[in-house]
Structure formats: C-alpha cells, structure tokens
Amino acid sequence: MNLLNLLKIALKALNNNKLRCFLTMLGIIIGVASVITMLAIGQGSKNSIKEQISEMGSNMIMIHPGHMQRGGVRQSSDDMRSLEVADYEALATLPGVAAISPSVNSGGQLVNGNNNYPSTIYGITPDYLDIRKLKVKDGAMFSDHDIKSAAKVCVLGKTVVDNLFPNGDDPVGRVIRFGKIPLTVIGVLESKGTNSMGMDQDDVVLAPYTTVMKRILAIDYIQGIFASAVDEEQTDQTIDAITSMLRERHKIKPDAEDDFDIRSQQELSEMMNSTSDMMTVLLACIAGISLLVGGIGIMNIMYVSVTERTREIGLRMSIGARGIDILSQFLIEAVIISVSGGVIGIILGCLASWLVNLLAHWPVFIQAYSVVLSFAVCTITGVFFGWYPAKKAANLDPIEAIRYE
C-alpha cells in the first residue's frame, strides 16, 4: 500500500474522532508554546542585561575598599579608608587606563523652593561621563578648575529635575540645596531610564569630588574609583596592572590579601548571564514536562485507537495488508497529531511571547533554534510514543483480531 493511501486512511480515522484528536494534540500544543515562550523570555532577559551593561560601559572597572581583618575582627568595606586621592592620581598614569575618576557619594534631601526630593550626590570628575556613557543634554559639565576650587556646582539627572522643577522650568543656572549646602545647577544629563536591575539611572546628582569630600562629607579619603580600559580586550591586563600598583602603594605583603576590591563589567556580565542561563534552562525544563505529558497522551490515545479498531485491523490483514502497512498507518496518525500540535504550538508560542512583551513589557527574543528544537522534539515525541501501539497493532493475529469483540 502506497504512502498516499495510508495518509488518507490515517486522516479519515482522525476525522472520525475530532474531539479526541484535538484533546490529544492539546498536550503537544501547550508544551511547544510553553518552551518557545519561556526560552524567548529567558533570551530576552539575557539580551537586555547585555545591552544595559554595554550602555554602562563594557570595559568599565570598579575599585572599592575591600574587607580586612584587624585584631581578629573582620571589618566591613564601608569602614575601610584604604583608597586615597593619591591612588587615583597614580592609577591615571597607567597606559591601559583610558579614563579614570574617583568616587565619593552621600545621600540627602535636595531642596528647590517648596519642592524637595531625596537623592544621592556623587563626587566625580568629568571622565566619569565617558566611563559610564553619560552625556550632558543641557548646560555643561563642571571643569577641572571647579574641581580644584571645590566649587559648589552640580549636574542633575532627569528624575531629579522632574521632581525639583515640576513646572518645567529650566534648571540650568538655578541654585538648589543639598542639605544646607547651596549648589548651582550648571547642566542636565540625558535620560538613560532604568537598568536591567530596575535602578533609575536618572536619579543622580553629579558634583566635583572635592566639593563632596570637603563641603558635604568632610573626609580626606575616597570611597571608590571608576576606570575604563582602552578597549574590552585589555580589561584583564588593566586590572592586573591596577592590582599590582595598588598593592605596591599600600605596601601589602605577597601573602596578604588585598585591602581593595576590583570588579569589571565583564565579570558582572558573566555572573548575570550565568544566572539568566540557569533560569532559562529551569523554565525550559518545566515547559518540557508538558511535551512529555503530551507524548504520553498520544501513546494512550493510540492504544485506545488500536483496541477500538482491532476488528478493522484483522479484516485489513486478512485481505492482504502487511504488518508494515498497519505499522505505518498508526505511526502516520501519531505523527500527524504531533506535527499539527507542534505547528499550532509554535504559532501560539510566538503569539504568547508577543503578548508578554506588549502587556508585561518584559524583553523577549524568539530564537530560530527554539522553534526548530520544539518542532523536532514534538515530531520525535509522536514517533516515539506512537511506535509501540503501532507495533502492537502490526503484530496482531488476523484471526484473533477478527474474533475480537
């Protein structure tokens, strides 16, 4: 019997049991749609993290005071004063460092007339803009002269501007207060929105680091250093050079631990990608259970179909149908169910991913491999779970099958 006739017989058999056929397909549909949607969400999150990290500067290096043990007591990095302005000035001479800025910060209340807003002021240098990929939209950035004189000037992020100047007034040239310190607004940053961790990147006030150190915090040390390597490929080499210089400057013995901590965007990216990949695999495994359940459903229905059509199988075999013909017929039915369910599942998976992006505003990215993999799995599932019932049908004794009640 040729393949076309077997296909017609299989389609007719499925058409006689439309509801049962659809319910069998439902497990495959849900499984494929779930796998595609979950992988799209996972990959979308991964791509979003990469974009956010790239926007922050893929070659950025962050240096902070490290944990140290003194007198048997391990001190918090917040209590450490191991970084000095002289360290920043020395690191600026390294050939692998493209830009560098010290960092000090303080939280407090910003006031403009009757409007006030809690935020954080960061003491930095103009290089900080290049390191963090920030741009001044209106006004200008403070100068080296402002740093030397600890000038009372600042640059505001959009969130701060919206809260301090709700009427849309131009903030450039206006004087605001941070606590009791008056600061003249000389510029406004371009909006960057929230990052992948949900932090508002526009909720920021930038000022000369000397101003924050002397006029606000009254300290003579810095809380951190931000730097960027010449290019991403040289980040590790630059980190090694920074580590060597700081250990030498801080007179740290070879067997002693560092009194500083260095992190790079590459390290952060790898950590976030590892977490994202683990969550994606977990979600895909959970969704894949639906495919397994769908395959068991196909096997169950094919068993029922073989039992119901035992007499038909016996009659067909008695008039010359071979075992391979019976096997092919039931296998074709199983494959039709699984492939049809797979196609519908792919369409629903793409639609569900689009709805997640539209309604929940989650980043999604449908990869071709997830569609091909889901379709291949559902096809293999149909063949695998349909083969045993089909084999059972092909091995029936024609005489016994005709006598079956």
Side-chain angles (χ1 to χ4, degrees):
M1 189 176 291
N2 60 43
L3 184 62
L4 183 61
N5 287 335
L6 289 173
L7 184 61
K8 288 179 180 179
I9 294 170
L11 288 173
K12 185 177 180 181
L14 294 174
N15 187 57
N16 291 335
N17 297 280
K18 297 185 185 69
L19 181 60
R20 188 169 70 184
C21 178
F22 172 74
L23 293 175
T24 306
M25 286 167 48
L26 200 57
I28 296 294
I29 293 171
I30 293 172
V32 171
S34 299
V35 169
I36 290 175
T37 304
M38 295 304 181
L39 288 177
I41 292 172
Q43 188 62 39
S45 300
K46 188 175 179 178
N47 290 348
S48 177
I49 291 169
K50 285 183 178 179
E51 289 174 8
Q52 294 286 352
I53 290 175
S54 178
E55 287 178 7
M56 291 170 63
S58 57
N59 55 344
M60 184 170 71
I61 301 168
M62 296 154 282
I63 309 163
H64 295 285
H67 298 274
M68 278 201 69
Q69 194 162 337
R70 290 183 177 176
V73 178
R74 192 170 182 82
Q75 295 183 318
S76 168
S77 59
D78 296 335
D79 300 325
M80 296 299 296
R81 302 182 180 184
S82 55
L83 295 178
E84 302 174 347
V85 174
D87 291 328
Y88 146 68
E89 293 171 345
L91 293 177
T93 63
L94 290 175
V97 175
I100 190 167
S101 169
S103 174
V104 286
N105 64 80
S106 176
Q109 202 75 11
L110 292 163
V111 180
N112 173 46
N114 295 325
N115 301 306
N116 64 87
Y117 181 70
S119 188
T120 303
I121 186 168
Y122 292 88
I124 44 89
T125 67
D127 274 0
Y128 186 79
L129 297 185
D130 294 329
I131 297 168
R132 293 297 303 271
K133 307 299 182 185
L134 298 171
K135 293 181 181 178
V136 177
K137 180 181 179 183
D138 299 315
M141 190 61 176
F142 46 81
S143 64
D144 291 337
H145 176 73
D146 293 327
I147 294 174
K148 291 177 182 178
S149 62
K152 292 182 281 189
V153 295
C154 67
V155 177
L156 305 181
K158 186 177 183 301
T159 299
V160 178
V161 171
D162 292 343
N163 284 275
L164 292 184
F165 301 91
N167 296 326
D169 298 336
D170 185 4
V172 178
R174 301 285 291 273
V175 177
I176 63 173
R177 283 189 296 111
F178 183 83
K180 296 181 180 180
I181 308 297
L183 298 171
T184 302
V185 180
I186 61 171
V188 177
L189 297 171
E190 279 189 4
S191 176
K192 291 198 74 173
T194 57
N195 61 19
S196 57
M197 292 169 281
M199 297 175 62
D200 187 357
Q201 300 179 93
D202 299 324
D203 186 3
V204 63
V205 180
L206 303 181
Y209 76 91
T210 50
T211 303
V212 177
M213 285 176 63
K214 296 176 182 179
R215 301 183 185 275
I216 297 176
L217 294 173
I219 58 176
D220 59 358
Y221 60 92
I222 57 178
Q223 298 168 333
I225 300 173
F226 285 85
S228 63
V230 174
D231 55 55
E232 193 171 344
E233 286 71 24
Q234 296 187 35
T235 300
D236 290 338
Q237 296 176 9
T238 305
I239 290 175
D240 292 340
I242 290 173
T243 302
S244 297
M245 177 172 279
L246 287 179
R247 286 184 65 88
E248 183 180 345
R249 287 187 54 80
H250 295 181
K251 297 179 173 59
I252 299 174
K253 295 179 180 179
D255 58 341
E257 64 179 28
D258 297 335
D259 62 353
F260 55 88
D261 188 32
I262 300 179
R263 291 284 182 270
S264 69
Q265 289 293 76
Q266 287 180 333
E267 188 177 346
L268 177 61
S269 176
E270 289 171 3
M271 181 184 70
M272 296 294 286
N273 286 339
S274 176
T275 303
S276 178
D277 287 343
M278 183 176 66
M279 290 302 298
T280 301
V281 170
L282 178 62
L283 291 172
C285 288
I286 294 172
I289 293 173
S290 298
L291 275 177
L292 178 62
V293 173
I296 294 172
I298 290 176
M299 189 174 188
N300 183 45
I301 293 302
M302 295 309 295
Y303 258 121
V304 172
S305 182
V306 168
T307 303
E308 285 183 347
R309 295 155 63 188
T310 300
R311 287 174 61 84
E312 173 197 333
I313 293 168
L315 287 171
R316 290 187 58 205
M317 294 182 76
S318 66
I319 59 174
R322 298 168 299 167
I324 188 64
D325 296 326
I326 304 299
L327 176 67
S328 300
Q329 177 190 335
F330 281 92
L331 263 183
I332 289 171
E333 289 183 24
V335 171
I336 289 174
I337 291 173
S338 59
V339 169
S340 301
V343 171
I344 297 172
I346 290 171
I347 295 171
L348 287 181
C350 295
L351 180 62
S353 300
W354 177 75
L355 287 175
V356 166
N357 178 256
L358 181 67
L359 301 178
H361 304 292
W362 291 358
V364 297
F365 181 76
I366 299 175
Q367 291 184 298
Y369 89 86
S370 66
V371 176
V372 173
L373 180 64
S374 300
F375 188 77
V377 169
C378 75
T379 304
I380 293 170
T381 299
V383 174
F384 179 78
F385 286 99
W387 178 83
Y388 188 76
K391 185 67 175 175
K392 180 186 176 184
N395 291 336
L396 284 174
D397 181 82
I399 304 300
E400 294 297 326
I402 292 173
R403 291 176 178 175
Y404 183 82
E405 294 294 337

